[in-house]
Amino acid sequence: MATRPAVRITTRDARRLAIKAQRLAGPRPRPNGPGVLALIRDIGYLQLDPTNVVARNPYQVLQSRLGTYDPAALDALLERRALFETPSLILPVSDLPIHAATMRAYRRATDPGGGDGPYRRGDNAGGGSYSRRARDWLTRNPHVRREALARLRRDGPLPLIAFADRENVSWTAGQWSAERNFTLLLAILQRRGEVVVAARRRGQKLYAAADGWLDAVRPLRGPALAREATLRALRILRVATPKQLRWQYAFGRHVTADALAALERSGEVVRIEVVGRDGPLRGAWYAPAGIERRVREVNDAWEPRTTLLSPFDNLVIDRERTHALFDYFYRMEIYVPPAKRRLGYWAMPVLHGDRIAGSVDPRLDRERGELVVNRVVLQPDAPRAVRRAIEQAVEELAAFAGARRVRW
């Protein structure tokens, strides 16, 4: 019979720990380069997504934590090589030993004669760069990869448009878009660790050969890799189940049950019980050692905020975890027919203190200079005072987006 965890905390405690770890409570970080870099290190990553209803996701995730700030601070960190990109994420260079292991595995899986890797569908890389497809194409067209790297070493950093003359490179018919061939090749080379995004100019990526751009690091391996990835994911989440740790974007592929068990035996991680209104939450939950002290510190110095969260925000990106801790069911409705949308196309959850009080569906009308609020949906138990707090959060978002007014 399994022993009962020695540490019990409430869902409110768990929420506050998660919110504080995501820098969404307490004093706001300084909106300068060092402040932004420390923030990204704390929250783990910024997810890249082409959707631009109000602002690009990385900038919007930072706005939720910083308020009004200069987005150039993020771009400058990339140029200073304090951050690096994969096709999906912006990451701190301090985590490169973990991600270099991912690149190494993908490189092996896409080399001629390589295997499919330890992950389903190659390496869980999206965007058309699944390892089997990438390996087949690179095997048939090694000269294109060589030419691309040679040109980047000679002339880089270069924008994608510099390779427009090579967009006739053919992939397997019926699999990938003929119009985005070189975009996909650069994504593959990025995942392999051979190409980096060296800078951005007016939102346009500039690519460079990775040789000599980032400092060489030794990729972590085996138990050391699993241990560091598991600890890193838990420090970001603060409280989590094994499934949530594995789901933690960018680290999940390296988190293992063996590493978690070893950390528990060494006393660096403790098993906890998270108790909600209807009793303990299902599953085994874990936290870093010293969780009771951390709960007291967070509660004693709790400084709540009201802010709007991007649908891709790190706090709510794991929808199951959001439902378990916040009792809030959320899904993006971008692909839901308009007549069936309940929350709206770009519904942003409203974090109010330690609860999600509802959502706001905004859209930036760039031509009119207006932030248009299409819909506000409140939870049944949302306090009346949240309405004024939402208005202030919307005004703050409008100021950041450069809107001259808000239209409700």
Side-chain angles (χ1 to χ4, degrees):
M1 183 175 178
T3 58
R4 186 171 180 172
V7 179
R8 304 182 81 201
I9 66 173
T10 66
T11 49
R12 190 196 74 165
D13 293 334
R15 287 195 302 272
R16 289 188 172 187
L17 287 167
I19 292 166
K20 187 73 161 71
Q22 280 294 312
R23 306 297 295 275
L24 286 162
R28 279 180 161 163
R30 292 185 179 276
N32 56 14
V36 173
L37 179 58
L39 168 58
I40 297 171
R41 285 173 173 164
D42 283 346
I43 69 176
Y45 65 91
L46 298 172
Q47 184 170 338
L48 293 165
D49 188 85
T51 312
N52 192 10
V53 178
V54 177
R56 297 287 187 191
N57 184 67
Y59 302 108
Q60 202 161 328
V61 169
L62 293 178
Q63 187 277 328
S64 296
R65 291 152 175 82
L66 298 169
T68 301
Y69 75 101
D70 183 357
L74 178 61
D75 300 335
L77 288 170
L78 185 66
E79 291 193 49
R80 283 169 36 202
R81 311 181 192 191
L83 302 174
F84 72 101
E85 289 191 20
T86 73
S88 306
L89 306 169
I90 297 175
L91 298 151
V93 167
S94 54
D95 284 336
L96 191 54
I98 296 174
H99 299 294
T102 306
M103 295 172 187
R104 179 186 59 205
Y106 182 72
R107 194 160 54 246
R108 289 174 175 172
T110 54
D111 278 341
D116 285 341
Y119 317 108
R120 289 190 302 171
R121 305 187 74 177
D123 77 322
N124 198 30
S129 54
Y130 294 123
S131 60
R132 183 179 300 175
R133 294 179 181 179
R135 180 180 66 243
D136 291 347
W137 189 89
L138 290 173
T139 300
R140 292 195 307 272
N141 301 279
H143 61 289
V144 180
R145 169 181 164 271
R146 287 196 302 268
E147 290 171 11
L149 290 174
R151 186 169 181 187
L152 289 172
R153 290 187 184 108
R154 183 181 69 247
D155 303 327
L158 294 173
L160 177 63
I161 195 171
F163 298 95
D165 59 329
R166 297 311 308 267
E167 282 293 356
N168 60 350
V169 175
S170 177
W171 299 90
T172 303
Q175 287 191 338
W176 291 343
S177 165
E179 288 76 32
R180 297 180 61 244
N181 291 324
F182 225 87
T183 306
L184 291 168
L185 175 61
L186 290 175
I188 289 168
L189 298 182
Q190 232 184 315
R191 291 191 188 281
R192 285 172 57 91
E194 296 175 306
V195 162
V196 296
V197 175
R200 288 176 180 266
R201 293 289 185 271
R202 295 181 291 279
Q204 188 178 52
K205 295 180 181 180
L206 299 182
Y207 294 91
D211 300 346
W213 189 261
L214 295 174
D215 291 338
V217 299
R218 185 185 299 274
L220 291 172
R221 298 172 181 270
L225 172 60
R227 168 191 166 82
E228 187 59 30
T230 304
L231 269 177
R232 185 78 174 94
L234 193 54
R235 287 169 184 153
I236 291 168
L237 295 176
R238 281 293 187 262
V239 293
T241 65
K243 180 180 179 181
Q244 292 166 9
L245 291 172
R246 288 192 296 272
W247 209 94
Q248 166 62 26
Y249 219 83
F251 296 107
R253 65 195 68 187
H254 301 306
V255 171
T256 67
D258 287 346
L260 195 56
L263 288 166
E264 188 178 7
R265 287 193 299 271
S266 69
E268 295 168 88
V269 165
V270 295
R271 195 176 305 210
I272 65 172
E273 193 171 63
V274 182
V275 183
R277 290 178 304 180
D278 301 321
L281 301 187
R282 289 189 299 177
W285 289 75
Y286 293 85
I291 185 66
E292 292 168 297
R293 172 184 53 80
R294 196 176 298 273
V295 166
R296 288 194 300 271
E297 291 173 350
V298 167
N299 284 331
D300 289 346
W302 181 245
E303 294 182 36
R305 298 186 220 148
T306 300
T307 190
L308 308 182
L309 303 176
S310 161
F312 298 106
D313 193 278
N314 306 36
L315 183 69
V316 296
I317 192 66
D318 185 338
R319 310 303 190 209
E320 288 186 14
R321 185 170 188 263
T322 301
H323 189 233
L325 293 183
F326 290 89
D327 193 24
Y328 184 76
F329 175 80
Y330 176 74
R331 69 167 177 169
M332 287 189 66
E333 296 183 337
I334 287 178
Y335 303 110
V336 175
K340 294 185 177 182
R341 288 176 188 149
R342 187 177 69 87
L343 303 179
Y345 181 89
W346 189 248
M348 300 179 67
V350 177
L351 179 66
H352 181 63
D354 58 22
R355 300 300 302 265
I356 295 178
S359 64
V360 172
D361 179 34
R363 173 179 61 84
L364 182 62
D365 187 331
R366 293 172 173 85
E367 185 175 330
R368 293 174 175 266
E370 293 180 339
L371 185 71
V372 182
V373 179
N374 298 306
R375 187 178 303 179
V376 177
V377 179
L378 297 180
Q379 290 288 86
D381 59 350
R384 294 184 63 180
V386 77
R387 294 179 182 272
R388 180 56 189 151
I390 287 174
E391 290 175 5
Q392 292 174 342
V394 168
E395 292 284 353
E396 196 171 63
L397 179 62
F400 168 73
R404 295 187 296 273
R405 56 188 167 272
V406 174
R407 178 156 59 90
W408 295 82

